[in-house]
Amino acid sequence: MASCWRLILFLSVTRWLSEIIYSWVFNEFPSFVAEDSRRFISQETGNLYISKVQTSDVGSYICLVKNAVTNARVLSPPTPLTLRNDGVMGEYEPKIEVHFPFTVTAAKGTTVKMECFALGNPVPTITWMKVNGYIPSKSRLRKSQAVLEIPNLQLDDAGIYGCTAENSRGKNSFRGQLQIFTYPHWVQKLNDTQLDSGSPLQWECKATGKPRPTYRWLKNGAPLLPQSRVDTVNGILAIQSVNQSDAGMYQCLAENKYGAIYASAELKILASPPSFELNQVKKSIIVTKDRGVLIECEPQGSPKPAISWRKGDKAVRANKRIAILPDGSLRILNASKADEGKYICQGVNIFGSAEIIASLSVKEPTRIELTPKRTELTVGESIVLNCKAIHDASLDVTFYWTLKGQPIDFGKEGGHFENIRAQASSADLMIRNILLMHAGRYGCRVQTTADSVSDEAELLVRGPPGPPGVVIVEEITESTATLSWSPATDNHSPISSYNLQARSPFSLGWQTVKTVPEVITGDMESAMAVDLNPWVEYEFRVVATNPIGTGDPSIPSRMIRTNEAVPKTAPSNVSGRSGRRHELVIAWEPVSEEFQNGEGFGYIVAFRPNGTRGWKEKMVTSSEASKFIYRDESVPPLTPFEVKVGVYNNKGDGPFSQIVVICSAEGEPTAAPTDVTATSVSVSEIFVVWKHVKESLGRPQGFEISYWKDTEPEDSVETARTRGNESFVMLTGLEGNTLYHLTVRAYNGAGYGPPSREASTTTKRHPPREPPGNLRWEQQGSQVSLGWEPVRPLANESEVMGYKVFYRQEGHSEGQVIETQKPQAVVPLPEAGVYIIEVRAYSEGGDGTASSQIRVPSYSGGKITSAQSTLHSLSKWSSVTLLLALMLPSSSW
């Protein structure tokens, strides 16, 4: 077979607009032909072009056509490709096989793709150019430059484009023209129109497009033909004198070869007799002398009615004062009494006539008197402005007040303004407790049905100064700050002085600072703040004062820090503290950050044994430190030392405190307490006493008692402490009927001494929980006899030792107690009233549960109020918990 060096595979396809996509399958699906500088598939024709066939191209080719919208696919029959070996194809110059049309037409805003592909050996290279211009920068070259794609076409993209195919044997070129068209687009449309019969009509519609659109007119869907009264020229429709036959729906059609657009509007022809129904004239018009008046006359009608005026039976004639305006209104200048009367306006057209009557009255003009005209006040004072109207007695007047041209809202001014209408022809404006914001021009307007007059009065309000302007820190040192500010508003009273204030993180709000000069007069705009603390952040503000008072402060300056300096404040309250054996504990009150004067602040602790010469110094670098511990095994307990504490920072050393004498720590106690005795007092209390041996060293600061239950391990020990030389303690909150063990040891700042020998005791058993039952009582005059069933304790409760009877008068918080060993008692009731009584059993474990309460009435004088004893069954009233201290004569319950 002969070899072939170039190949074109053709395919006959009916193309469906631009939704068709062509591709070629090589041998079998889905192996597709890859496009490059040697192979090209035209999306215009669907053909596959191979510029230079190679052995790898031998095979079967199938064309695949795809609809991008419906995704439908169609396959062509296979086409075989073989190589001939009967000859050899040599090199040859390019031959352009695919190119775009000589004229390419595309719409503005769309995308155009122009193809150019050539056969040749060697494989040609494709380049593009635009004659007399540049290819748009938005363009993209695709498929090894065989396709030029220009998106979003604009009119200036039009022109002559060319492609060139070139290889070593030569080159070949093609040129074609790109034309951009635009569909017609409306610039000016029609609007629905209503015209009186006989009026002229001119409608204009404008459209743009490329090529330029032409126009046609339609009426009610049919072409509008030129007539004697109708002209249509370049989108303009003109009708000289419309009548009812011209009414209808009109359309303007703008079209070019690429499309057409329509604009529609309706023309209505009006025809009606004159009518005043929509534009009624005032039946009664009031005007003041020498003023102008306008009486309107606007009848509706088509054609437009002709207007005429009469006064009474006589026609109104125009002169220098009286004129009939183009719109039909009657204007009268410098009205006088002679102009009073009834005026009749008549409108006439071809369909009829109509008229309307207006009555004109001429009154004397209104005058106004507003007093006082100009007043100066001080903040907090009050004033009354009087507005008096001199007016025609037949007219009603209304008063309106304004401030600075705005109406005064009496309901929203905080009670400062009140409108007082004492008489029909005058009004007062009361201004109470006047403020600076109330200064300005006050207006009073008098309104009548004939006219409106107004006048103004000025109020000037003196008050404290306003805030000074922005405060600027001009210069800062370690203790001074030079400040400047802009003057404050004096509010009509000269500023007498300024006051400088400062605030720091250490101050309680704003504080007045000392200044140079000491007195800052009102004409000054700068001063120096002095005696500031070094290395402290400050804000500054300025306050102005005048004879009226002191104003609001300025906005604070920016925060600024003073410069560093050597500290000047020594620590205070230098003293000793408790410590362990061989320790010297030195304590002091730390210097506040406000007085540290800079970074790197710390303390210098100096000390020496009393009576010696040289000082030993130690550095403490923490600014918050308040204690230093010096330990020396050779220092005996309670050795006196001279001590002083100094300060330093990065700028240098500051002063030392005064010298004080303190002693080194004493030793811990060495002797154990003796004769420890534990005595059970109640169900929850144990009383402990002991003796301690006095020591010269290791003096105790107090004693610690450790106690624990017999049934619990030693690590569950609880402790109680005493302070000073107390040698006893009451342990409370214990469990009843429980064996406790305890020890006692002394302690001080150096540590704990040895514990005492162990002591033990058992807490009392719980008191009986059963309350006295079946409580009975019998009243006998001013006393009552009580009886109850004895309380029998359980095995784990303590034995009953007796009973306590609690009684108090109703309404009183304090009562009395009677003790008895028997289940009975006599209770005196000395005063008239109602008594509340209850009974409890008591034992060594404390008081038991209370019985139910009874309420018993009593009468003074000891009189027997009942001849016969009555046995009462006690009802439960309420269960009240009573607190009784046996050591007190009475208790509150």
Side-chain angles (χ1 to χ4, degrees), residues 80-316:
L81 172 62
T82 60
L83 285 180
R84 294 168 55 188
N85 54 11
D86 57 352
V88 177
M89 177 75 71
E91 293 185 353
Y92 63 94
E93 65 183 13
K95 178 184 178 183
I96 294 179
E97 290 288 342
V98 180
H99 60 77
F100 54 96
F102 288 101
T103 301
V104 178
T105 303
K108 178 184 176 183
T110 61
T111 298
V112 68
K113 297 179 181 179
M114 293 184 284
E115 296 181 344
C116 184
F117 186 78
L119 305 180
N121 185 21
V123 175
T125 300
I126 307 298
T127 58
W128 292 84
M129 54 85 68
K130 181 181 181 184
V131 179
N132 299 325
Y134 297 96
I135 291 179
S137 59
K138 60 188 175 182
S139 302
R140 294 184 289 268
L141 291 173
R142 301 188 183 279
K143 297 188 178 183
S144 300
Q145 305 190 100
V147 177
L148 173 63
E149 179 180 306
I150 307 175
N152 189 22
L153 285 173
Q154 300 301 315
L155 295 178
D156 56 1
D157 294 331
I160 297 175
Y161 288 79
C163 68
T164 300
E166 185 176 3
N167 64 10
S168 60
R169 303 299 296 178
K171 61 182 179 180
N172 196 357
S173 299
F174 175 81
R175 290 185 180 183
Q177 185 171 21
L178 173 62
Q179 295 180 346
I180 311 298
F181 69 86
T182 60
Y183 297 103
H185 175 75
W186 286 121
V187 176
Q188 179 177 334
K189 292 185 177 182
L190 305 179
N191 294 314
D192 291 340
T193 302
Q194 294 185 129
L195 291 176
D196 293 331
S197 179
S199 300
L201 168 70
Q202 180 168 312
W203 265 335
E204 182 178 6
C205 57
K206 288 183 180 180
T208 61
K210 189 175 182 182
R212 179 181 298 175
T214 59
Y215 301 93
R216 288 188 291 143
W217 287 89
L218 295 87
K219 178 185 177 185
N220 297 328
L224 182 62
L225 301 176
Q227 304 172 23
S228 59
R229 295 183 303 108
V230 180
D231 288 325
T232 57
V233 180
N234 293 331
I236 298 176
L237 169 63
I239 304 177
Q240 294 178 1
S241 178
V242 298
N243 54 43
Q244 286 293 333
S245 65
D246 296 319
M249 184 65 70
Y250 288 77
Q251 287 182 307
C252 178
L253 171 63
E255 60 185 340
N256 63 14
K257 62 184 294 185
Y258 299 105
I261 54 177
Y262 293 84
S264 301
E266 183 180 8
L267 174 62
K268 291 183 179 180
I269 307 301
L270 304 177
S272 62
S275 171
F276 287 96
E277 290 182 2
L278 298 179
N279 296 307
Q280 295 286 339
V281 176
K282 290 183 180 178
K283 293 184 178 180
S284 179
I285 299 173
I286 302 174
V287 66
T288 57
K289 289 174 61 176
D290 300 325
R291 300 289 297 274
V293 62
L294 185 69
I295 308 176
E296 295 179 345
C297 181
E298 298 181 11
Q300 299 293 314
S302 297
K304 184 177 180 181
I307 305 298
S308 63
W309 284 88
R310 303 193 312 272
K311 180 182 179 186
D313 296 332
K314 295 181 180 181
V316 175

Side-chain angles (χ1 to χ4, degrees), residues 294 309 316-325 328-333:
L294 185 69
W309 284 88
V316 175
R317 298 186 182 279
N319 55 38
K320 293 182 179 180
R321 291 194 312 111
I322 301 174
I324 300 176
L325 302 180
S329 300
L330 178 63
R331 184 184 66 192
I332 302 175
L333 302 177

